[in-house]
Amino acid sequence: MSEKGYTTLKRDRYERKFMVTALHYEGIVQTVKNHPAYFNPIYQERYINNIYLDTPTLSYYFHNQVGTSQRQKVRIRWYGELQGYIERPILELKRKNGMTGTKRSYPLPGFSMDADLSHRSLHEIIQKADLPEDVREILHGLKATLVNRYRRRYFLDFSGGYRVTLDREMSYHPVLEDRIRPSSMTLENGTVVELKYDASLDDEAQGISTSFPFRMTKNSKYVKGIEMFYPIPL
């Protein structure tokens, strides 16, 4: 993680996810701390906020659902309060190639998450950013489709190669018409446990993963949020 709290992943990384609903949060924390890989807390627990961008036909959502081997996710992320002036937003482009992925991150100008934030004003903010031309081409035609927020805690194992994050208090906010600022929300119970590591460490990862008493699941916050608010055809 960089000094500003944002990470650019230049090498392929695995992200193994576990959705835990049968164990209370403090029990999950204790399970992580008792893991034989000696996971210890790093950084401060904090709230993460996202505005997801997609095509008008929700192409990124459908690519995720059908399991397209090469797929993409675009979002604007910031930490702390959900609404008000956002001082250091970041544009993130996550790309998946099979089971591994990379991430590109670019700082955006600050903006206010208020009643005046529209699709048009959001794109004006993006236009002011210092972005490569290929990124601008990707963003052309995209629009905000979902806002979500959750509370994250971080852990690192003794070797420094494996990171675990715990996400809780997850909320999802629809983007209605031209209004991006959240006007309502849907809460989700449970905690998402995520094991993250460089692809070069995959041979040892099986032992790390199986030492957790959790069942690995496919879990996308974006997919869940979209299915809460959009009439998705079967």
Side-chain angles (χ1 to χ4, degrees):
M1 186 173 292
S2 71
E3 61 179 321
K4 291 186 178 181
Y6 303 117
T7 309
T8 293
L9 303 176
K10 296 182 179 180
R11 295 184 296 180
D12 286 346
R13 183 176 76 173
Y14 281 97
E15 297 180 348
R16 307 295 192 185
K17 299 180 181 181
F18 312 83
M19 181 65 187
V20 184
T21 58
L23 185 63
H24 61 83
Y25 179 73
E26 290 306 323
I28 297 172
V29 172
Q30 199 57 48
T31 298
V32 172
K33 289 182 176 180
N34 291 339
H35 192 282
Y38 299 102
F39 283 97
N40 286 301
I42 55 172
Y43 312 125
Q44 289 186 335
E45 188 175 26
R46 58 186 175 178
Y47 281 99
I48 296 178
N49 310 285
N50 301 289
I51 299 175
Y52 287 96
L53 306 179
D54 206 333
T55 68
T57 57
L58 300 179
S59 297
Y60 295 162
Y61 162 82
F62 284 108
H63 288 167
N64 189 299
Q65 276 296 75
V66 301
T68 304
S69 60
Q70 293 186 338
R71 56 191 187 272
Q72 186 163 252
K73 185 182 296 179
V74 179
R75 67 192 178 202
I76 296 171
R77 169 168 289 191
W78 67 96
Y79 301 103
E81 295 299 321
L82 175 61
Q83 302 193 55
Y85 183 73
I86 312 305
E87 185 176 356
R88 292 190 304 183
I90 198 80
L91 174 70
E92 294 187 341
L93 283 73
K94 294 191 71 175
R95 289 182 174 175
K96 276 292 189 72
N97 185 6
M99 297 298 295
T100 63
T102 58
K103 182 173 68 177
R104 299 164 70 185
S105 302
Y106 303 94
L108 295 177
F111 64 88
S112 292
M113 185 68 149
D114 56 24
D116 293 329
L117 185 64
S118 64
H119 295 289
R120 181 174 181 176
S121 61
L122 187 62
H123 274 281
E124 289 174 351
I125 293 165
I126 292 173
Q127 286 298 319
K128 296 176 183 177
D130 183 14
L131 301 174
E133 191 58 36
D134 68 311
V135 173
R136 294 194 182 277
E137 291 178 4
I138 291 171
L139 296 175
H140 181 72
L142 301 187
K143 61 180 292 186
T145 53
L146 180 75
V147 177
N148 89 317
R149 169 180 170 85
Y150 47 90
R151 190 173 177 180
R152 171 168 286 182
R153 192 168 180 180
Y154 306 80
F155 297 84
L156 188 68
D157 82 312
F158 181 76
S159 73
Y162 298 88
R163 180 182 296 183
V164 165
T165 57
L166 306 183
D167 295 342
R168 57 174 171 152
E169 299 180 21
M170 290 169 283
S171 63
Y172 300 85
H173 312 259
V175 174
L176 303 175
E177 298 299 332
D178 201 38
R179 179 185 295 176
I180 296 178
R181 187 187 69 169
S183 58
S184 62
M185 68 179 181
T186 299
L187 298 175
E188 180 185 20
N189 295 323
T191 300
V192 176
V193 180
E194 193 165 350
L195 175 65
K196 307 176 184 183
Y197 57 91
D198 191 272
S200 63
L201 301 176
D202 194 41
D203 289 343
E204 294 81 22
Q206 183 69 16
I208 301 284
S209 178
T210 56
S211 293
F212 286 117
F214 312 132
R215 184 176 180 179
M216 191 177 301
T217 58
K218 182 179 179 181
N219 190 292
S220 167
K221 299 181 183 71
Y222 179 57
V223 167
K224 285 187 176 182
I226 289 296
E227 293 178 346
M228 287 179 183
F229 304 117
Y230 289 81
I232 302 298
L234 297 177

